[in-house]
Amino acid sequence: MKQILFICLLQLLVYAAYGQFTISGKIIDETGNPLPGANIILENTYHGTSTDLEGNFKFTKIKKGEYVLKISYIGYTSVNKKVKVDANVYLDISLEPAMILGDEVIISATRVSDKVPVAFTTMEKEVINERNIGQDIPYLLSLTPSFVVSSDAGAGVGYTSFRIRGTDANRINVTVNGIPLNDSESHGVWWVDLPDFASSVENVQIQRGVGTSTNGAGAFGATVNFQTFTLQKEPYAEINSSAGSFNTYKNTISLGSGMIGGKFTFDGRLSKISSDGFIDRAYSDLKSFAVSGAYYQKNTILKVIVFSGKEKTYQAWDGVPGYLLSSNRKFNGIGEYKNAEGKTVYYDNETDNYQQDHFQIFYSRELSPHFHLNTAFHYTSGKGYYEQYKENQEFSDYRLNNLLIGSDTLTDTDLIRQKWLDNDFYGVTYSLKYQGKKWDAVLGGAWNNYLGKHFGKIIWTQFASNSDMDHEWYNNEGVKRDFNVFGKANYQLNSKLNIYGDIQYRRIHYEIKGIDDDFRDITQQHEFNFFNPKVGFSYIINDRQSLYYSFGIAHREPNRYNFIDTDPNGPIPSPETLRDYELGYSLKFAEYLLEANVYFMDYKNQLVLTGEINNVGAPIMTNVDKSYRAGLEITTGIKILPNLKWDLNATFSRNRIIDFTEYVDDWDTWSQASNYLGVTDLSFSPNIIAGSKINYEMIKKVNVALISKYVGDQYIDNTSSEDRKLDRYFINNLYINYRHKSSLFKEINFTLLVNNLFNVEYETNAWVYRYLEGGEKKVFDGYFPQAGIHYLLGLSVKF
């Protein structure tokens, strides 16, 4: 902690000499009318602003030199203007109406700008591509504030996950082009189903906290919004290949037609990724493609996007038992069984197999200079299974008869089973956006329908009994309809004060029919009606400083597992409620940036694991009355030299349950012991998270960066026990990039990424089951070690 505080203080104290000049001006349309709210970025600095009600802007304390102003406004052609500063500069800049409607209209309803009182980070394609040489999406976003990643296989390929402010992905809203990506039943997102999705991403915005209203799952920690396939006017082709440790290989081909006849574009991508993983047998075989076709006019966009992923991964979900961490950090016990000779072997197809296909159709239209309409239709199809070799399984557990052989009755058998999910998700989203001088507003919403079929098959048995081929032993389905409508608006009261309001109504119908894998009838039906208001303001102190405040309420319904795992004799899980308070401050100079955000996330009925079990012994999540997350997020950056830049973020937080009671299984009495603990820490919620990137451009073609991440201690369960804790870790990665342009190629890039440069041993996730036996406390557990020093080497060729 002292190291992190020292770094933060150093960033705040080290400050480059102030500049002497001002860049100011006015942004107008072709008729001379001001364009309020136009976005302006001073490239290669930390400066960014938007025009006031009269179209004016100002940047002060600018050093002598040459700069580029990047100016954009919906419906107008973006402008990059070179500015030479050796005295105060004033500019009148006129924007011309765009010849075609811009892609930003597709996502404008779910994105926020600087004047919206929300803590957010936006990453453009150039930053995403910097590290996109093999690892999954969570690892490419890992340097954003309050962000913690984990990999089951230990090297960032295969099953990966992330948390933001300690909140797991089941409570984080994820959309692609404004269309929900979270699974309707589990609320989760599995990036392994979308391998190399990052190669199709143009930009991503992460809103921390409740954020602004969007479509899909409730945002209980953050909203992550991706945009894919924006307009590329010129033809292009690109080949990306990489190779690295653990036999990791990635190959991607991307190409685009550019603008054809001033109206049509076509883009495509084909990818394959494979890796053995750091953990034993945790291999991944991943394939994906994405295509897009669009028709553009001055006031219309019609676009079709299709993307698909297919994955096969050897399961590594159990982790490494704690007692093996010091001797065998790569151990994977999944698939283990005894062969006919009594030797321990591993089933070679203990794998997860899934394919997911996404279809999106967008129609956007400029109804007038002030009104834009966007509609989208979507359909997602997913189908797959995971396969397991199971020893000594009782016939009765699979709806099979005992087998009589002579005078002997066999009651169990070895078998191979598959658990299947076959799901369909479809719907429509819409938004109507108004942009005026003082007002900008959005009316939007969505209707979505989901059908998920869950069933199990037996594909082989040692002893056949009455089993047919592909014998089905359970079958159930979930049906979910999700409707929401929202309205949000910004009102520019004067040149300094902007007031924000946001109201969403969401209605959910969810029903489950059938029996589960243990023959329990899980038929049930639930209805939810949620009202989610948000209010706030942003205030511009001067051209360098601003602040904001917001308050928002969010609700989240329990997911499938919360419902089917609950004890039928106990209470039904209640929806969770979050009241989120955010206060932010920003200070920007050309060579220095400071952003600070204080948050208090007050939960009612948050669902957590307490150790309680249901009537068949499975763990259940229980509503706790009061819990909270409170913290301070700091983002800083400094240009130490023209070619040396240091960016740093840090989060300091407290994450608590107010009144917590733990439950522990007692194997001697077949009951549970309870213990009231009072105030405890929320699991997997480190008090300190920090990220750092020191970037040095050695020469014009060579870029070197030291990328660091610190994550504080994390408790594995909610008891605050020092015996069940992930130790803090501090890891460093080295990034080297060489780029070259020639007459033959537009650009060639060579990239070397060395992860965990100092070979730190650390774990990012774990689980623990505690019980009493013979009066002694005992545990089963599993930890997820991450790889030591390892590398990826990439080559990118652009044509």
Side-chain angles (χ1 to χ4, degrees):
M1 181 173 179
K2 290 180 180 179
Q3 290 176 323
I4 302 300
L5 288 173
F6 174 75
I7 291 172
C8 291
L9 289 172
L10 184 63
Q11 286 265 32
L12 292 171
L13 292 173
V14 176
Y15 187 75
Y18 280 26
Q20 301 298 314
F21 305 112
T22 297
I23 301 176
S24 61
K26 188 171 187 176
I27 309 299
I28 57 176
D29 64 15
E30 75 280 11
T31 63
N33 293 317
L35 291 176
N39 294 314
I40 307 171
I41 295 173
L42 193 61
E43 200 171 45
N44 294 321
T45 75
Y46 292 104
H47 266 312
T49 189
S50 57
T51 53
D52 65 15
L53 293 174
E54 302 304 322
N56 297 311
F57 70 93
K58 181 190 286 187
F59 297 121
T60 61
K61 300 193 180 299
I62 304 299
K63 287 184 174 182
K64 182 179 179 179
E66 293 187 355
Y67 299 87
V68 175
L69 282 174
K70 301 179 71 173
I71 305 145
S72 61
Y73 190 82
I74 290 180
Y76 289 79
T77 301
S78 297
V79 170
N80 291 347
K81 186 172 182 61
K82 292 183 179 180
V83 181
K84 184 176 181 179
V85 177
D86 53 14
N88 292 337
V89 177
Y90 183 87
L91 303 165
D92 280 319
I93 301 174
S94 176
L95 300 186
E96 297 293 328
M99 298 301 294
I100 58 174
L101 190 60
D103 288 288
E104 63 269 16
V105 68
I106 290 175
I107 57 162
S108 60
T110 54
R111 290 287 178 96
V112 298
S113 62
D114 286 336
K115 65 181 180 181
V116 178
V118 169
F120 72 96
T121 301
T122 301
M123 294 177 63
E124 299 297 335
K125 187 179 184 69
E126 294 77 13
V127 179
I128 296 169
N129 285 348
E130 186 177 277
R131 294 186 63 189
N132 183 24
I133 53 175
Q135 293 178 306
D136 293 346
I137 280 281
Y139 282 75
L140 307 186
L141 307 181
S142 62
L143 270 186
T144 58
S146 305
F147 205 100
V148 177
V149 300
S150 182
S151 169
D152 284 8
V157 180
Y159 269 88
T160 59
S161 60
F162 65 85
R163 292 174 179 266
I164 300 177
R165 292 184 178 177
T167 302
D168 63 75
N170 293 337
R171 292 173 168 87
I172 294 173
N173 174 279
V174 183
T175 59
V176 177
N177 303 317
I179 291 171
L181 187 61
N182 299 74
D183 180 79
S184 294
E185 287 196 285
S186 69
H187 302 180
V189 175
W190 288 271
W191 302 107
V192 70
D193 298 339
L194 297 172
D196 200 27
F197 177 66
S199 290
S200 297
V201 172
E202 293 296 326
N203 54 72
V204 57
Q205 185 176 92
I206 301 173
Q207 302 169 21
R208 298 183 296 280
V210 166
T212 186
S213 288
T214 184
N215 303 308
F220 256 55
T223 298
V224 182
N225 185 315
F226 294 92
Q227 183 178 22
T228 63
F229 286 122
T230 58
L231 172 63
Q232 306 295 321
K233 292 185 178 181
E234 299 298 325
Y236 68 91
E238 185 173 347
I239 298 174
N240 290 278
S241 294
S242 60
S245 303
F246 318 118
N247 291 318
T248 300
Y249 298 95
K250 171 182 176 287
N251 291 287
T252 301
I253 299 174
S254 303
L255 63 149
S257 65
M259 187 70 81
I260 301 175
K263 293 183 178 181
F264 298 94
T265 65
F266 299 93
D267 300 271
R269 172 185 60 82
L270 186 64
S271 302
K272 187 179 189 308
I273 301 174
S274 60
S275 177
D276 290 346
F278 166 68
I279 300 297
D280 290 341
R281 298 179 307 285
Y283 66 79
S284 300
D285 183 8
L286 316 174
K287 305 178 183 71
S288 71
F289 75 85
V291 294
S292 171
Y295 169 73
Y296 291 90
Q297 283 189 321
K298 178 177 173 57
N299 59 3
T300 303
I301 300 174
L302 179 62
K303 177 176 284 192
V304 178
I305 297 175
V306 179
F307 54 98
S308 174
K310 185 176 183 181
E311 61 92 6
K312 182 174 184 178
T313 57
Y314 195 97
Q315 297 163 29
W317 305 331
D318 285 358
V320 178
Y323 68 87
L324 283 179
L325 281 176
S326 60
S327 59
N328 187 3
R329 297 178 60 80
K330 300 180 66 173
F331 174 80
N332 183 7
I334 292 182
E336 179 182 307
Y337 71 99
K338 300 285 188 182
N339 65 11
E341 291 76 34
K343 183 180 178 181
T344 297
V345 293
Y346 293 91
Y347 181 51
D348 60 5
N349 200 39
E350 193 91 355
T351 57
D352 182 68
N353 305 262
Y354 195 75
Q355 178 167 333
Q356 196 172 75
D357 305 314
H358 298 256
F359 304 86
Q360 301 179 346
I361 302 175
F362 301 91
Y363 176 74
S364 302
R365 186 172 180 83
E366 182 185 283
L367 304 177
S368 76
H370 298 293
F371 285 96
H372 292 84
L373 173 69
N374 185 67
T375 57
F377 301 88
H378 66 89
Y379 171 66
T380 301
S381 173
K383 188 173 184 179
Y385 63 91
Y386 64 88
E387 187 167 308
Q388 298 172 306
Y389 189 104
K390 305 293 287 185
E391 291 183 286
N392 303 321
Q393 300 293 291
E394 294 188 10
F395 286 117
S396 60
D397 288 343
Y398 296 88
R399 304 177 75 174
L400 297 172
N401 299 329
N402 291 338
L403 186 61
L404 184 64
I405 300 179
S407 59
D408 296 326
T409 300
L410 293 180
T411 60
D412 57 59
T413 182
D414 291 0
L415 55 82
I416 299 173
R417 70 184 191 185
Q418 295 176 345
K419 288 192 170 185
W420 281 80
L421 171 62
D422 184 355
N423 56 355
D424 298 278
F425 177 59
Y426 57 89
V428 58
T429 68
Y430 63 89
S431 63
L432 178 64
K433 183 176 178 64
Y434 169 78
Q435 181 84 42
K437 183 175 182 179
K438 286 195 170 186
W439 285 93
D440 66 78
V442 175
L443 175 65
W447 176 88
N448 300 301
N449 193 68
Y450 172 91
L451 173 63
K453 299 176 182 177
H454 306 258
F455 54 95
K457 292 181 179 181
I458 307 299
I459 65 169
W460 174 85
T461 58
Q462 183 182 16
F463 302 105
S465 180
N466 61 321
S467 172
D468 299 322
M469 183 172 292
D470 290 342
H471 169 76
E472 188 175 284
W473 90 91
Y474 75 93
N475 191 311
N476 64 77
E477 67 177 25
V479 178
K480 191 170 188 177
R481 290 188 291 274
D482 186 336
F483 166 82
N484 87 87
V485 61
F486 60 82
K488 46 190 168 184
N490 287 288
Y491 178 65
Q492 196 72 42
L493 189 64
N494 53 46
S495 61
K496 292 184 175 293
L497 180 62
N498 177 79
I499 299 172
Y500 174 76
D502 184 340
I503 300 173
Q504 182 193 53
Y505 168 72
R506 184 167 175 242
R507 178 178 177 83
I508 301 112
H509 170 85
Y510 181 42
E511 58 182 296
I512 306 172
K513 304 174 186 176
I515 62 169
D516 205 6
D517 59 357
D518 55 6
F519 307 146
R520 286 182 300 131
D521 184 351
I522 56 175
T523 301
Q524 52 193 285
Q525 183 172 306
H526 305 278
E527 302 277 350
F528 303 97
N529 292 277
F530 296 141
F531 178 66
N532 300 316
K534 307 168 186 71
V535 295
F537 71 85
S538 58
Y539 183 76
I540 298 174
I541 302 171
N542 53 42
D543 64 286
R544 299 180 305 279
Q545 300 180 81
S546 62
L547 60 85
Y548 65 81
Y549 171 79
S550 67
F551 168 73
I553 297 177
H555 294 86
R556 174 184 177 269
E557 74 278 15
N559 65 22
R560 167 185 168 87
Y561 303 106
N562 300 147
F563 283 129
I564 67 174
D565 291 339
T566 191
D567 191 331
N569 300 316
I572 297 174
S574 299
E576 301 171 300
T577 301
L578 168 61
R579 291 174 173 82
D580 182 26
Y581 306 81
E582 307 269 343
L583 175 64
Y585 170 80
S586 176
L587 173 66
K588 294 180 181 179
F589 292 94
E591 288 82 23
Y592 184 73
L593 164 73
L594 170 64
E595 293 179 337
N597 183 69
V598 178
Y599 63 87
F600 181 72
M601 302 169 67
D602 185 18
Y603 296 92
K604 175 74 173 177
N605 290 328
Q606 186 173 189
L607 285 160
V608 303
L609 289 169
T610 64
E612 289 184 81
I613 59 175
N614 61 18
N615 60 328
V616 294
I620 62 174
M621 298 191 81
T622 305
N623 294 110
V624 293
D625 184 40
K626 295 180 180 180
S627 55
Y628 70 86
R629 301 183 187 276
L632 168 65
E633 295 168 326
I634 299 173
T635 300
T636 67
I638 183 170
K639 288 191 73 173
I640 302 170
L641 297 170
N643 59 345
L644 180 60
K645 182 181 177 183
W646 188 10
D647 293 309
L648 175 81
N649 64 73
T651 301
F652 307 92
S653 66
R654 292 173 62 89
N655 310 276
R656 299 287 191 267
I657 300 173
I658 302 303
D659 291 294
F660 183 76
T661 299
E662 68 165 337
Y663 294 84
V664 181
D665 286 356
D666 189 331
W667 286 17
D668 296 323
T669 62
W670 293 102
S671 64
Q672 286 201 298
S674 63
N675 183 25
Y676 176 74
L677 299 178
V679 178
T680 62
D681 292 84
L682 282 163
S683 60
F684 301 107
S685 300
N687 292 339
I688 302 175
I689 304 170
S692 168
K693 181 181 178 182
I694 301 173
N695 196 89
Y696 179 55
E697 192 170 14
M698 296 178 63
I699 55 177
K700 199 167 186 179
K701 296 180 180 181
V702 179
N703 194 55
V704 179
L706 179 65
I707 301 168
S708 307
K709 190 77 176 184
Y710 176 88
V711 177
D713 294 336
Q714 304 175 64
Y715 293 104
I716 299 170
D717 61 19
N718 295 298
T719 63
S720 295
S721 172
E722 295 295 315
D723 297 331
R724 295 179 294 281
K725 186 176 70 173
L726 295 175
D727 292 333
R728 69 195 73 177
Y729 56 88
F730 180 57
I731 55 172
N732 294 271
N733 306 322
L734 177 65
Y735 169 87
I736 302 174
N737 175 259
Y738 170 77
R739 56 191 180 277
H740 176 70
K741 296 182 180 180
S742 69
S743 57
L744 184 61
F745 305 110
K746 286 184 180 179
E747 188 173 273
I748 301 177
N749 278 276
F750 295 93
T751 302
L752 173 64
L753 179 63
V754 182
N755 293 299
N756 197 358
L757 188 61
F758 301 114
N759 206 33
V760 175
E761 290 189 352
Y762 69 106
E763 298 81 44
T764 56
N765 199 4
W767 60 269
V768 62
Y769 167 72
R770 303 167 60 222
Y771 63 100
L772 300 172
E773 185 179 34
E776 295 183 9
K777 296 179 181 179
K778 298 183 179 180
V779 299
F780 293 120
D781 56 21
Y783 291 78
F784 293 85
Q786 303 301 287
I789 185 170
H790 58 290
Y791 74 93
L792 288 164
L793 182 64
L795 169 65
S796 170
V797 181
K798 298 180 181 180
F799 301 90

